[in-house]
Amino acid sequence: MPELPEVEAVRRSLRDCVVGRRVAQVAVLRPDVVRGSARPADLLEGVAVADIQRLGKELCLLADNGRCVCVHLGMSGSLLATGSPIAGQHVHVIWTLEGGRVLSFRDPRRFGGVWSFASVALRDELRWRRRGEDALSITASRLHAQWRGRRAPIKTLLLNQALLSGVGNIYADEILFAAGLHPLTEAGRLDLGLTKTLVACLRRILRAAIAAGGSTLRDGTYRDGLGETGRYQTRHAVYARAGLPCVRCQTQLRQIRLAGRSTVYCPTCQPRLGFLRG
DNA sequence: AATTTCTCCTGCAAGC
DNA sequence: TGCTTGCAGGAGAAAT
């Protein structure tokens, strides 16, 4: 569930307590969540963290010796900075920082993971350059060009991280509602004007969600790097609201399955393009 | 080449 | 109360 806004909230909350600190020790409790070398030195033991970057839903800890470690939170992952080691199950990697603070990667469902790279260049070649542009920097003209001729539904393409990085199921539904677009709309049928509307809604919603610290759903799993919950879930217009009245027109919200994911939309506010244009 | 389906995993909620 | 079943979904592989 951590999507771009949640991952950005984690990045910002961790920045001050992690950047500039040396990693005193790394413990890997579950080696299979680490891809690439899981040797402590390759997971930044002994070096200082110089920066934390983000592409889409993925974080990357950069060390001052050039090495870097990507962390993907998957569905249920969290990256928590605490004053002492956290108790409980599903903690897979622990970075003990100089000064006693501890950074823990916890992921019950293990859809996330950790990737170690010898350099940013290798990270980019093997991983980040294979991803689409970050959703916060996409422009309408580039998205329009990318979607030209595509027959897949717009929601499917919004979720495709090889095309665009950062949008997941929650924000895809929220963005499409804000833009008044039916999730099954063929991507290639969006003209530049509608694409501009879509991109404007995408930016507005992702930024508002970042400002609110992301969305913590009823299961309560999402926390930022300091353990704080998000506050954007109270502003969801459609996600997890199937059967309830639309906040704009009171029509009962409809749920379908698309790309294997539950999809909620308002049949009145989000009409099919085909019905408008023949 | 594009698109869809399958698979991984655990926790929670609903139903009996 | 205690069981089973279904559902949630990111991403990459596999199938169409």
Side-chain angles (χ1 to χ4, degrees):
Chain A
M1 270 164 270
E3 305 180 23
L4 187 151
E6 289 76 30
V7 177
E8 178 62 16
V10 171
R11 190 184 75 83
R12 292 180 185 185
S13 62
L14 286 178
R15 206 167 31 190
D16 289 346
C17 53
V18 172
V19 171
R21 311 248 170 180
R22 205 180 75 97
V23 178
Q25 194 182 17
V26 179
V28 178
L29 294 118
R30 248 202 111 103
D32 58 329
V33 307
V34 181
R35 331 294 153 88
S37 170
R39 287 165 48 218
D42 295 333
L43 291 171
L44 313 187
E45 183 171 283
V47 295
V49 178
D51 198 11
I52 307 182
Q53 298 182 339
R54 180 190 60 75
L55 174 66
K57 305 173 190 173
E58 186 162 290
L59 289 172
C60 183
L61 304 171
L62 281 95
D64 59 5
N65 69 347
R67 297 203 67 95
C68 60
V69 170
C70 292
V71 179
H72 198 301
L73 301 177
M75 274 284 295
S76 57
S78 54
L79 199 55
L80 265 183
T82 51
S84 52
I86 60 175
Q89 290 187 306
H90 310 303
V91 177
H92 307 314
V93 184
I94 301 170
W95 291 265
T96 303
L97 306 177
E98 219 154 60
R101 201 171 278 272
V102 179
L103 184 65
S104 303
F105 173 60
R106 181 176 180 272
D107 184 14
R109 261 170 258 187
R110 273 181 280 139
F111 277 21
V114 172
W115 287 257
S116 66
F117 295 101
S119 67
V120 167
L122 276 170
R123 175 200 73 185
D124 289 347
E125 182 194 333
L126 297 172
R127 197 159 173 84
W128 279 17
R129 218 175 288 144
R130 301 182 181 190
R131 294 266 164 81
E133 183 173 351
D134 190 78
L136 277 182
S137 65
I138 194 72
T139 64
S141 63
R142 286 202 292 275
L143 198 67
H144 184 246
Q146 184 184 79
W147 286 6
R148 183 170 295 142
R150 296 277 199 144
R151 304 206 63 184
I154 44 178
K155 180 173 173 186
T156 306
L157 295 198
L158 279 176
L159 291 174
N160 185 339
Q161 306 298 300
L163 300 175
L164 183 71
S165 290
V167 178
N169 203 40
I170 297 170
Y171 295 103
D173 279 6
E174 294 300 317
I175 289 162
L176 291 173
F177 174 78
L181 289 167
H182 194 291
L184 287 172
T185 308
E186 273 185 31
R189 295 191 63 175
L190 274 198
D191 62 20
L192 186 58
L194 280 173
T195 309
K196 283 180 175 169
T197 301
L198 175 63
V199 169
C201 291
L202 177 150
R203 284 203 193 123
R204 193 180 76 232
I205 286 177
L206 294 182
R207 284 183 181 148
I210 291 169
S215 303
T216 298
L217 305 181
R218 219 192 334 237
D219 66 11
T221 52
Y222 168 68
R223 299 294 161 111
D224 75 8
L226 302 176
E228 300 291 321
T229 59
R231 299 170 304 281
Y232 193 74
Q233 63 280 0
T234 59
R235 289 157 70 180
H236 292 173
V238 286
Y239 179 80
R241 298 195 69 244
L244 296 172
C246 171
V247 295
R248 191 185 284 156
C249 75
Q250 316 305 315
T251 302
Q252 196 177 40
L253 297 177
R254 195 170 290 172
Q255 177 164 5
I256 57 173
R257 254 191 124 65
L258 205 168
R261 311 224 155 70
S262 76
T263 298
V264 185
Y265 67 99
C266 172
T268 303
C269 297
Q270 298 169 262
R272 295 292 297 269
L273 272 189
F275 291 111
L276 292 177
R277 312 186 161 198

